[in-house]
Amino acid sequence: MTSTHRTGAAPRRPIPADIDFPDALLEGLATEPKRVACKYFYDAVGANLFQQICELPEYYLTRTELSLLRRHASDFARLIGPHAEIVEFGAGSAETIGILLAALDRPRAYVPVEISNGSLLDLVGRIRADHPAVDVRPLLADFTAPLPQTLFSPGARRIGFFPGSTIGNFTRSEARDFLAGAARLLKGGGLLIGVDLVKDPAVLHAAYNDSAGVTAAFNRNLLVRANREAAANFDLARFAHYAPYNVEKRRIEMYLVSTAAQLVRVAGRQIAFAEGEAIHTESSHKYTIEDFRSLAVQAGFSPRAVWTDPDRLFSIHWLEA
Ligand SMILES: C[S@@+](CC[C@H](N)C(=O)[O-])C[C@H]1O[C@@H](n2cnc3c(N)ncnc32)[C@H](O)[C@@H]1O
């Protein structure tokens, strides 16, 4: 995990927030089962592939969340109030935060906390152009590390924004810990958070196994990144994208499965893969509304309003801190 925290003006040159990737990769490949944290998906190519995923017909998440944000923007503005300072955990899309900023009453500051430098630079440029009155204070950092209280101006109305159901990438206990940290950081304010819902497994399966193969390319890009940044020699043709829905654990599990027994070089080491052995690359947990509200209570929040679409695909929660 990085300890890099940079605030203020947009970073002038690419500064990787995740310079620990080769070490983290080696560590993850030495565990049983093998794993790589999903935050490493988001190099420049990965961030671009993720934007393409958001537009896929099967990927209902982004589409549904954006329509909920647009439909209920005035409700959010009323609950958040004037002169708010907004911290966004992970900040992929200017469109998502743009809807909120446009609806709010004179928002004072926007602090995107993002691990991908390219995504952050792009976002900061667009938000500064579209919302010149908002003080944009980018933070190139891992949002799972404790964030400094100095993120906010003294006395500011503190609001967290965590769209995209990124909370689903945590296990339940990690999600509780993350939310507890957010509740402390946002004390006196609140958190607006998008959470994907439990639903027909066939719909979930299709969302992570799209017919155009973009999610597969996104998953395999981790190996491309390893070849470039961790002196690895993964043969992409010998790793398959596999993303089943685990009904019992209510989560999509994403793997790269070795289709042959093989040795791969990574940062000067030889890593052995058995035929059929998997690297776990991501989980995406799904919640019921009641389940998520009870998790929020355990983390110290008071859940207030919740909004869903007519098909109950996705939810947005307002949690008071
Ligand atoms: C699933 S995307 C969501 C993007 C955006 N918030 C949206 O709703 O469209 C996750 C975003 O969070 C960033 N991210 C993932 N893990 C992170 C971490 N541990 N710390 C900071 N940013 C992270 C990724 O680079 C990416 O931009």
Side-chain angles (χ1 to χ4, degrees):
M1 184 179 298
T2 180
S3 58
T4 318
H5 278 168
R6 292 167 204 270
T7 48
R12 284 191 194 83
R13 61 191 167 77
I15 306 163
D18 40 11
I19 44 178
D20 58 347
F21 176 55
D23 288 345
L25 181 63
L26 273 180
E27 201 178 308
L29 294 178
T31 64
E32 180 60 50
K34 293 178 168 62
R35 58 174 61 247
V36 182
C38 63
K39 66 181 178 180
Y40 295 111
F41 277 135
Y42 299 93
D43 64 352
V45 176
N48 188 277
L49 284 166
F50 181 72
Q51 290 307 321
Q52 292 178 42
I53 288 173
C54 292
E55 286 161 24
L56 291 168
E58 296 96 332
Y59 198 78
Y60 60 86
L61 289 89
T62 312
R63 212 174 34 246
T64 312
E65 184 176 51
L66 284 173
S67 91
L68 282 172
L69 284 168
R70 285 195 193 96
R71 192 171 322 142
H72 302 290
S74 57
D75 293 346
F76 308 144
R78 189 171 34 77
L79 290 164
I80 289 173
H83 308 299
E85 298 199 358
I86 319 288
V87 59
E88 183 174 6
F89 302 102
S93 136
E95 191 180 0
T96 317
I97 182 64
I99 295 170
L100 189 63
L101 289 176
L104 293 183
D105 180 5
R106 290 158 292 162
R108 197 175 279 162
Y110 168 55
V111 185
V113 181
E114 172 59 54
I115 205 165
S116 159
N117 191 60
S119 302
L120 192 60
L121 278 174
D122 186 48
L123 175 78
V124 166
R126 289 185 57 184
I127 298 300
R128 284 192 174 140
D130 294 349
H131 303 273
V134 177
D135 181 14
V136 182
R137 309 200 287 249
L139 178 60
L140 186 64
D142 183 332
F143 58 54
T144 59
L147 297 174
Q149 292 282 337
T150 50
L151 275 188
F152 297 103
S153 317
R157 170 106 171 121
R158 300 168 166 218
I159 302 299
F161 185 45
F162 199 16
S165 203
T166 306
I167 188 80
N169 294 148
F170 293 126
T171 64
R172 199 183 162 87
S173 67
E174 287 168 350
R176 192 187 305 113
D177 290 349
F178 174 83
L179 289 172
R184 285 191 296 274
L185 182 73
L186 302 170
K187 204 167 172 51
L191 176 67
L192 194 64
I193 179 167
V195 182
D196 197 16
L197 296 175
V198 168
K199 61 181 63 64
D200 179 351
V203 174
L204 286 166
H205 187 270
Y208 295 82
N209 292 276
D210 61 278
S211 56
V214 184
T215 312
F218 175 71
N219 197 10
R220 280 208 192 86
N221 180 57
L222 211 43
L223 304 181
V224 179
R225 181 174 186 182
N227 288 351
R228 188 183 60 243
E229 295 182 26
N233 67 346
F234 284 101
D235 177 353
L236 269 64
R238 301 218 284 175
F239 284 88
H241 165 75
Y242 180 56
Y245 179 61
N246 184 327
V247 179
E248 198 184 322
K249 296 188 171 156
R250 295 180 175 178
R251 66 184 190 202
I252 289 283
E253 296 171 355
M254 208 143 88
Y255 300 98
L256 289 161
V257 182
S258 175
T259 57
Q262 54 183 317
L263 277 178
V264 179
R265 194 189 65 238
V266 179
R269 309 259 179 88
Q270 293 286 342
I271 310 291
F273 286 86
E275 183 178 359
E277 187 177 1
I279 310 173
H280 175 252
T281 54
E282 184 177 79
S283 289
S284 185
H285 293 79
K286 310 302 170 186
Y287 289 89
T288 63
I289 286 174
E290 299 67 32
D291 201 16
F292 187 75
R293 282 167 71 94
S294 110
L295 190 71
V297 169
Q298 290 166 36
F301 278 107
S302 301
R304 299 290 186 217
V306 56
W307 300 264
T308 62
D309 53 295
D311 297 326
R312 286 177 83 87
L313 294 174
F314 200 88
S315 60
I316 295 180
H317 298 247
W318 169 246
L319 311 175
E320 275 180 9

